[in-house]
């Protein structure tokens, strides 16, 4: 009799178990786009590339390659890369890049700059040969990767 | 059946069953770390580089990690590099390069973010005839 009285409790405990319903992991990570900025940089020159950040998230900038114009291989030189806000004329054409952050770096296959760019807007990545001692001795091909939301 | 056995059956056994059932619950809240790893991949590639020429191959790195390239066979000392595939046309924009002979351990080992990459073998200006080579590329 006493055991029978406990049957409802046992039933309740059993139904409380087994909550194994699979749930999808919550994900608020925005999709990322990777853009390439490939060009030639001359000695003491700077160039920029405009890109649009679509939502909040992490933007990474990577100077991945610096190579000679006329032969295969790599160049050992330190350049300045950075990001900033685009400058536009009255017609909305991008005419400049006002830098917010710069670092001096050699090429690598991992991002040298990782920042959260807010608000979502138009930004620019910049590369410049600024150092006469450790910078370029001749024009060079460069490749940058910009990964952003 | 003695008195002790009866007491055990009536009072203790039901609660023991309840305790066991209750202990079986509650593991649904265990936090787990999302898996974000990729299986290491090893690719073998063999080809020929001509005098004054270069040969390249692309591959995909699925997650951040180390790219290790081993020139395992080559008839001469060659240029060996890792970089990004050109946006247009073929070839490679190198980020890391060495001049090397064949060997059994990686001549290039470099950290890399996830993305598209390429390896390139090129003549250093010393070849008079085409040279065969073979390499192994290990990456995440």
């Amino acid at each position: 009799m006493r055991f029978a009285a406990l049957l409802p409790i046992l039933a309740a405990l059993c139904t409380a178990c087994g909550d194994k319903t699979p749930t999808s992991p919550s994900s608020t990570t925005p999709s990322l786009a990777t853009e390439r900025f490939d060009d030639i940089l001359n000695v003491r020159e700077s160039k920029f590339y405009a890109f649009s950040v679509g939502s909040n998230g992490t933007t990474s900038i990577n100077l991945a390659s610096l190579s000679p114009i006329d032969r295969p291989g790599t160049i050992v030189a330190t350049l300045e890369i950075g990001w900033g806000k685009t400058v536009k004329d009255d017609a909305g054409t991008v005419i400049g890049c006002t830098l917010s952050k710069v670092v001096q770096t050699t090429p690598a296959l991992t991002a040298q700059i990782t920042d959260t760019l807010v608000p979502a807007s138009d930004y620019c990545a910049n590369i410049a040969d600024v150092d006469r001692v450790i910078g370029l001795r001749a024009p060079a091909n460069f490749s940058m990767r910009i990964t952003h939301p | 059946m003695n008195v002790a056995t009866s007491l055990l059956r009536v009072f203790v056994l039901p609660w023991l069953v309840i305790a066991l059932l209750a202990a079986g619950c509650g593991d649904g809240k265990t936090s787990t770390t999302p898996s974000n790893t990729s299986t290491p991949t090893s690719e073998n590639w063999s080809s020929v580089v001509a005098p004054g020429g270069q040969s390249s191959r692309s591959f995909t790195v699925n997650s951040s990690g180390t790219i290790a390239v081993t020139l395992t066979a080559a008839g001469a000392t060659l240029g060996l590099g890792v970089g990004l595939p050109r946006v247009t046309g073929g070839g490679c924009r190198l980020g890391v390069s060495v001049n090397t002979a064949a060997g059994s351990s990686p001549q290039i080992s470099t950290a890399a973010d996830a993305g598209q990459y390429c390896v390139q073998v090129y003549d250093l200006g010393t070849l008079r005839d085409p040279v065969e080579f073979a390499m192994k590329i290990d990456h995440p």
Side-chain angles (χ1 to χ4, degrees), chain B residues 26-34:
Chain B
D27 67 346
K29 298 296 184 183
T30 305
S31 61
T32 56
T33 304

Side-chain angles (χ1 to χ4, degrees), chain A residues 54-79:
Chain A
S55 61
N56 289 345
T58 302
T59 294
S60 59
I61 298 174
N62 173 216
L63 173 61
S65 173
L66 195 59
S67 58
I69 302 284
D70 55 352
R71 60 181 171 81
T74 52
I75 291 175
V76 178
T78 298
L79 298 178

Side-chain angles (χ1 to χ4, degrees), chain B residues 38-115:
Chain B
S38 62
T39 306
T41 301
S42 185
E43 301 181 32
N44 292 298
W45 177 45
S46 58
S47 188
V48 176
V49 61
Q54 48 201 278
S55 187
S56 61
R57 171 189 170 107
S58 62
F59 59 96
T60 301
V61 171
N62 293 312
S63 63
S64 297
T66 300
I67 297 171
V69 181
T70 309
L71 185 67
T72 54
T77 297
L78 297 170
L80 173 68
V82 179
L84 307 184
R86 289 183 184 275
V87 176
T88 56
C92 213
R93 304 286 290 254
L94 296 182
V96 183
S97 69
V98 294
N99 299 342
T100 184
S104 57
S105 56
Q107 291 93 357
I108 293 178
S109 182
T110 183
D113 291 334

Side-chain angles (χ1 to χ4, degrees), chain A residues 9 20 23 33 41 52 69 78 98 143:
Chain A
I9 300 173
K20 299 295 186 185
T23 56
L41 191 69
S52 295
I69 302 284
T78 298
T98 302
S143 290

Side-chain angles (χ1 to χ4, degrees), chain A residues 43-115:
Chain A
V43 176
R44 305 292 289 169
E45 187 179 42
S46 69
K47 287 187 173 177
F48 70 89
Y49 177 85
F51 62 95
S52 295
V53 172
S55 61
N56 289 345
T58 302
T59 294
S60 59
I61 298 174
N62 173 216
L63 173 61
S65 173
L66 195 59
S67 58
I69 302 284
D70 55 352
R71 60 181 171 81
T74 52
I75 291 175
V76 178
T78 298
L79 298 178
E80 183 182 272
I81 64 170
W83 63 267
K85 293 283 289 183
T86 54
V87 179
K88 298 180 181 178
D89 63 14
D90 293 341
T93 304
V94 177
I95 57 172
C97 181
T98 302
L99 292 174
S100 300
K101 180 174 184 176
V102 296
V103 298
Q104 291 202 1
T105 185
T106 54
L109 301 181
T110 54
Q112 290 95 347
I113 296 177
T114 301
D115 276 329

